[in-house]
Amino acid sequence: MALLQISEPGKSTDPHNRKLTIGIDLGTTNSLVASVISGEAKILEDNNYRLIPSRVLYEQDQILVGNDIPSHAVSIINSVKRLIGKKKDDINANDIALDLADSNDIFIQTPQGFKSPIQVSSDILKKLKKIASDYFGDEIYGAVITVPAYFNEGQRQATKEAAKLAGIDVLRLINEPTAAAYAYGLDTKKEGVFVVYDLGGGTFDISILQFNQGVFEVIATNGNSSLGGDDFDQIIKNYLINKYQLNSQGLEEQAHLNLIAKYIKEKLSSQNTFNETIKFNNQNYQIDISLSEIEESFIPLVDKTIQCVKNALNDANLSIDEIDGVIMVGGSTRMPTIQNHMKQFFNQDLLNDLNPDEVVAIGAARQAFVLSGQAVDDDTLLLDVTPLSLGIETMGDLVERIIPRNSTIPIAKAQEFTTYKDGQTMMKIHVVQGEREKVSENRSLGEFVVKDIPPMPAGAAKIKVTFQVDADSLLTVSAEEQTTGTKTSIEIKPSYSINENEIRKMLEDSFTNAEDDKKFRSLAELIIDANQILELTEKALHNDQQLLSDHEKTTIEKCMNNLKSEITKKNPSKIKQVTDELNNASMSFAQKRMDRSIHSALTGKNINEINK
Ligand code: AMP
C-alpha cells in the first residue's frame, strides 16, 4: 500500500475559502460589531452609528433594535444583559419580569407575547449580524462574542443560546478583558500579567489576566456594578447647581442637567476649561468651569476604583511592580483624572491608544479572524500554534508534511494523493508528527486504512486527505475517495501534543540532521522514480515485447538489471545515471507502443470522425 503526492501543498480550495467572521461586544448599554477587513479590525457601522444601543422595542408587527427605535418610543427593553442566564430568585424581578406558570424563569411581557432574556438578546444579536452581512453582502461564517469575566456558566450558556437563536455560529465566547488584550496584540508576547481597567457609564470592572503559553487566564476580578461615568456626571451636576444657583426641582430639570453635566465632563477630557453659554429653564447661563477646580471632587470616586484594583491584586497575590501592562477600557477612561491617577498608581504608561469604547469589539474581531484559520501568515495575530509539523507517510519511508509547524490553529489543510499500483484498492494513512524526512524519526500519531478504492490504473485514483486541528488542538484526519465520495477519518486527541522538552529535542534533531535528511529524501525519491520506471518497463515488455528486436530487448533488460543492482547499492548519482540509461534505451520502445495505439485508435474511422 503506497502513496504518492500528486498536487502541490495548499492547492485545495478548502483553506482558501473566504470566511467572514465578526467580533461582537454584546454590552449592557451599547453593543458593537467589528470585523477584520484587509488585515485590520474595523467597527462595522449601522447607518453611520458605531454604537448600537442594546435595546429592543417589540411592536405588534415588528421588532426594532438599537438606533432604529424612535426616541419617543415607550416600553423599550433595556439592559437585558443584566437578566440573561438568571433566574427570578437571582434578581429583584418585581417590575420588569413576569413569572409564568409559577416557574422561576424570567419573562418580559411584550405586545408579541412573553419574551425571555435569551430571546431579547437574540434579537439584538440578529441586528448585529445583519449589520455585518449587509456590509459584506454575504453570509457570516462565525462570531466571537464577548462576555464579562465574572459571567457564570449559566450566563455564558444563555448567551450562546441567544446566538444560536439568532443564527450565529459562535466560534468562541471570550471574556471582555481578554478581548481587550487581543486588541492590543498582547497575545504576541511570550507571557505577562495584565490589568484591564474598565470604567463605563454605570459599571466598573477590573480584571487581572495572566498570559502564558498562548492562553489568557483571568486570575482575579473585582469591580462595582454601580460605579461609572454617571457618578461623575452627578458630581458636576451638583457643582453646577451650587455654583450657578440652578433650580433643579422637577424630574425634567434633573434629566436636562444630567445631560449638561455629561456634556461638560466629556468636553473637559479634551480641554482644560469649559466656557459656553448653556440654556437651562429658558434662561441662558454662561458656564465657566475648569478641570482643576472640579477635579478634587472626583477623587473619592477614583479612590473607589483604586480600592477594587487593590482587592484584585491582593486576590491574585501580586504587587504593582509585577504588572506588565494596563489596558484602559470604557468611555470614562478618557477622563484625564482617571488617566493620570492610574498612570501614577501603576507607575507605568497605560495602553490607551485604541478607542476605549471599541477595544473589546476590535479584540473579538481579531480573535474571530484567528479562530477561522485565516491569520496563518500574520505574526501579530498568532494565538496558539502547532508546535511540530503534521503529515503522513508516503512512499519510500518519507513524510509529506500537510500542516507545517507554527501554523495558527484552528487550521484545515487538504492535499490529494493517488495510488501507486494498478488496481490498488486500499491505502494506508499513517499520521505522523515531527520535522524529520524519515517516517521512523517522527512520532507516529495513528493510522487508518481507506478501503474500497475502485480498481484503477496507478495514479488515476484521487484521495483527498484533510488535516483539521480545531481551537482545542484536536486533530482530525479524514480521507475521501473522490470518485465514490467514501470518507474515512480518525480523531487524535490533544494528547498528541507533547511536552516542551520533547518538542525542543525533536527540533534540535531536525537541525543537526538536516543535511542527512536532505540526502535521505533525494535518495528515496530517486529510488521511487527508478522503481516506477522498472515496473512500467516490465509491464511493457510483458505485453508488447514483439515490437522489439532481440538487440533492443537485451539492451533494455541489461539496463533494468543494472538499475536493480544500483538501487540496492544506494548510490544516488549512479541510480540517476542508470535510470537515465534505461529511459534512453526504452525511448524507441515507448514510441513504437504509442504509434501502435494511435494506429489502432484510428483504424476504420473516417476523417470527420477523427476531427470530432
Ligand atoms: P461606555 O459604557 O463604555 O460606553 O462608557 C460610557 C461612559 O463614558 C459615559 O459615562 C460617558 O459619559 C463616558 N464618556 C464617553 N466619552 C467620554 C469622554 N470623552 N470623556 C469622559 N467621559 C466620557
Side-chain angles (χ1 to χ4, degrees):
M1 254 177 288
L3 300 170
L4 195 68
Q5 178 201 351
I6 58 167
S7 71
E8 284 302 308
K11 283 280 163 69
S12 155
T13 53
D14 282 6
H16 298 293
N17 278 345
R18 178 163 93 141
K19 290 177 181 168
L20 295 173
T21 56
I22 51 175
I24 292 177
D25 172 4
L26 186 61
T28 308
T29 323
N30 290 307
S31 296
L32 293 100
V33 54
S35 186
V36 171
I37 301 162
S38 308
E40 202 186 324
K42 291 191 179 129
I43 300 292
L44 305 181
E45 295 177 359
D46 174 32
N47 288 324
N48 296 329
Y49 292 110
R50 296 167 82 80
L51 294 179
I52 317 301
S54 306
R55 49 187 190 177
V56 185
L57 176 66
Y58 291 94
E59 293 184 330
Q60 289 296 346
D61 54 352
Q62 63 175 349
I63 301 172
L64 297 176
V65 177
N67 299 301
D68 299 343
I69 300 175
S71 52
H72 58 266
V74 284
S75 308
I76 300 167
I77 301 175
N78 283 304
S79 305
V80 73
K81 188 175 171 180
R82 292 193 193 271
L83 302 178
I84 198 159
K86 290 194 177 164
K87 295 286 180 190
K88 206 168 162 248
D89 290 348
D90 303 326
I91 58 162
N92 183 1
N94 293 340
D95 309 327
I96 39 111
L98 271 182
D99 189 357
L100 276 190
D102 281 340
S103 89
N104 194 14
D105 293 332
I106 297 169
F107 286 95
I108 303 157
Q109 196 167 19
T110 79
Q112 293 196 16
F114 290 104
K115 297 279 179 185
S116 70
I118 290 180
Q119 287 171 308
V120 180
S121 300
S122 98
D123 285 321
I124 300 172
L125 287 166
K126 266 184 208 157
K127 169 76 186 175
L128 298 169
K129 182 182 153 197
K130 186 167 184 312
I131 293 171
S133 51
D134 283 354
Y135 176 87
F136 290 113
D138 209 343
E139 282 299 300
I140 302 303
Y141 168 78
V144 164
I145 301 178
T146 60
V147 289
Y150 55 76
F151 253 28
N152 63 29
E153 232 359 86
Q155 291 165 300
R156 286 168 197 264
Q157 200 48 45
T159 307
K160 273 193 187 169
E161 276 173 42
K164 197 170 164 202
L165 211 56
I168 295 175
D169 207 350
V170 180
L171 300 171
R172 202 176 271 185
L173 288 187
I174 62 172
N175 291 321
E176 288 160 7
T178 304
Y182 284 131
Y184 277 100
L186 300 182
D187 48 316
T188 56
K189 301 213 180 305
K190 260 181 97 180
E191 51 185 32
V193 179
F194 307 101
V195 166
V196 180
Y197 181 101
D198 180 352
L199 188 62
T203 55
F204 171 63
D205 291 301
I206 187 87
S207 317
I208 303 181
L209 302 179
Q210 180 149 38
F211 184 62
N212 203 359
Q213 305 210 340
V215 177
F216 283 106
E217 193 191 348
V218 179
I219 53 174
T221 59
N222 211 290
N224 186 330
S225 56
S226 46
L227 171 65
D230 301 347
D231 299 284
F232 292 84
D233 300 346
Q234 288 306 311
I235 289 176
I236 298 178
K237 184 172 90 174
N238 293 334
Y239 189 81
L240 290 173
I241 292 171
N242 282 333
K243 187 168 173 180
Y244 297 97
Q245 296 298 307
L246 304 176
N247 175 6
S248 60
Q249 297 301 311
L251 277 178
E252 223 167 284
E253 285 83 9
Q254 288 279 344
H256 190 192
L257 267 185
N258 281 341
L259 289 179
I260 295 172
K262 188 172 176 171
Y263 175 69
I264 295 174
K265 174 191 73 176
E266 294 183 3
K267 283 276 172 181
L268 285 175
S269 288
S270 51
Q271 57 199 50
N272 289 326
T273 54
F274 179 90
N275 311 99
E276 276 183 42
T277 307
I278 295 278
K279 196 165 186 173
F280 178 67
N281 272 348
N282 289 325
Q283 232 182 297
N284 282 334
Y285 291 89
Q286 171 61 32
I287 309 282
D288 297 302
I289 188 166
S290 71
L291 182 59
S292 54
E293 80 181 83
I294 196 141
E295 211 170 17
E296 195 63 23
S297 49
F298 293 159
I299 301 302
L301 294 179
V302 179
D303 282 346
K304 272 193 186 180
T305 72
I306 289 183
Q307 193 49 52
C308 295
V309 176
K310 284 183 179 163
N311 293 344
L313 286 171
N314 210 21
D315 289 347
N317 217 357
L318 288 167
S319 62
I320 287 172
D321 51 4
E322 288 172 283
I323 303 301
D324 299 300
V326 180
I327 305 172
M328 302 304 264
V329 178
S332 301
T333 60
R334 289 200 183 88
M335 293 176 69
T337 317
I338 300 288
Q339 300 264 344
N340 295 337
H341 279 80
M342 288 312 125
K343 191 173 167 186
Q344 212 175 343
F345 178 79
F346 286 106
N347 195 23
Q348 59 179 289
D349 285 337
L350 307 170
L351 294 163
N352 59 3
D353 355 309
L354 296 176
N355 184 333
D357 294 319
E358 298 178 353
V359 54
V360 168
I362 293 289
R366 288 173 62 114
Q367 184 61 357
F369 188 68
V370 171
L371 290 178
S372 66
Q374 297 175 97
V376 182
D377 297 323
D378 187 345
D379 282 350
T380 60
L381 291 178
L382 216 59
L383 166 75
D384 219 349
V385 294
T386 50
L388 293 166
S389 301
L390 296 163
I392 60 173
E393 175 177 352
T394 62
M395 280 297 295
D397 197 25
L398 286 174
V399 174
E400 182 62 39
R401 264 177 221 120
I402 295 189
I403 296 188
R405 85 184 199 87
N406 271 341
S407 297
T408 312
I409 61 170
I411 186 170
K413 284 215 165 185
Q415 214 162 290
E416 269 183 3
F417 294 86
T418 189
T419 44
Y420 182 72
K421 285 197 189 299
D422 285 346
Q424 186 181 329
T425 56
M426 292 203 284
M427 187 185 267
K428 183 179 78 173
I429 308 285
H430 179 200
V431 183
V432 296
Q433 181 185 39
E435 307 312 308
R436 304 289 301 277
E437 300 290 355
K438 208 175 186 176
V439 171
S440 48
E441 304 285 356
N442 291 271
R443 290 180 79 224
S444 170
L445 297 180
E447 57 180 55
F448 62 99
V449 175
V450 181
K451 292 188 193 136
D452 300 327
I453 302 171
M456 285 182 234
K462 283 190 176 123
I463 317 288
K464 183 169 157 191
V465 177
T466 306
F467 272 51
Q468 209 171 347
V469 184
D470 70 13
D472 301 314
S473 292
L474 183 80
L475 166 67
T476 308
V477 180
S478 57
E480 189 177 350
E481 200 287 304
Q482 301 290 65
T483 44
T484 59
T486 320
K487 210 166 178 175
T488 327
S489 67
I490 181 177
E491 246 186 27
I492 295 163
K493 297 275 179 267
S495 57
Y496 80 82
S497 55
I498 51 178
N499 75 38
E500 252 186 83
N501 284 340
E502 286 172 285
I503 293 173
R504 198 170 306 132
K505 167 99 181 53
M506 287 180 80
L507 289 178
E508 275 167 15
D509 284 353
S510 78
F511 296 138
T512 32
N513 294 296
E515 201 48 41
D516 286 351
D517 277 5
K518 216 167 122 194
K519 283 188 194 144
F520 172 78
R521 176 172 277 276
S522 63
L523 174 64
E525 283 172 351
L526 281 173
I527 293 176
I528 292 168
D529 283 351
N531 276 328
Q532 211 168 15
I533 288 166
L534 280 172
E535 212 162 308
L536 288 174
T537 319
E538 233 150 54
K539 208 161 95 184
L541 282 180
H542 179 261
N543 293 335
D544 295 320
Q545 52 178 302
Q546 72 283 1
L547 297 175
L548 295 173
S549 68
D550 282 351
H551 174 68
E552 282 169 329
K553 187 174 169 237
T554 323
T555 317
I556 290 174
E557 280 171 347
K558 202 170 140 216
C559 288
M560 286 172 75
N561 287 336
N562 276 349
L563 185 53
K564 281 179 194 162
S565 130
E566 286 308 333
I567 287 174
T568 59
K569 291 185 207 151
K570 299 193 170 165
N571 178 338
S573 55
K574 278 302 234 174
I575 296 175
K576 174 138 193 6
Q577 184 198 322
V578 183
T579 305
D580 289 346
E581 280 169 19
L582 175 58
N583 263 329
N584 288 335
S586 52
M587 205 175 286
S588 70
F589 182 32
Q591 191 63 49
K592 282 182 192 164
R593 295 182 74 221
M594 204 179 315
D595 289 349
R596 202 208 33 192
S597 16
I598 293 172
H599 179 74
S600 66
L602 301 184
T603 308
K605 302 211 164 120
N606 68 32
I607 195 80
N608 290 334
E609 280 177 302
I610 294 165
N611 283 338
K612 261 183 202 166

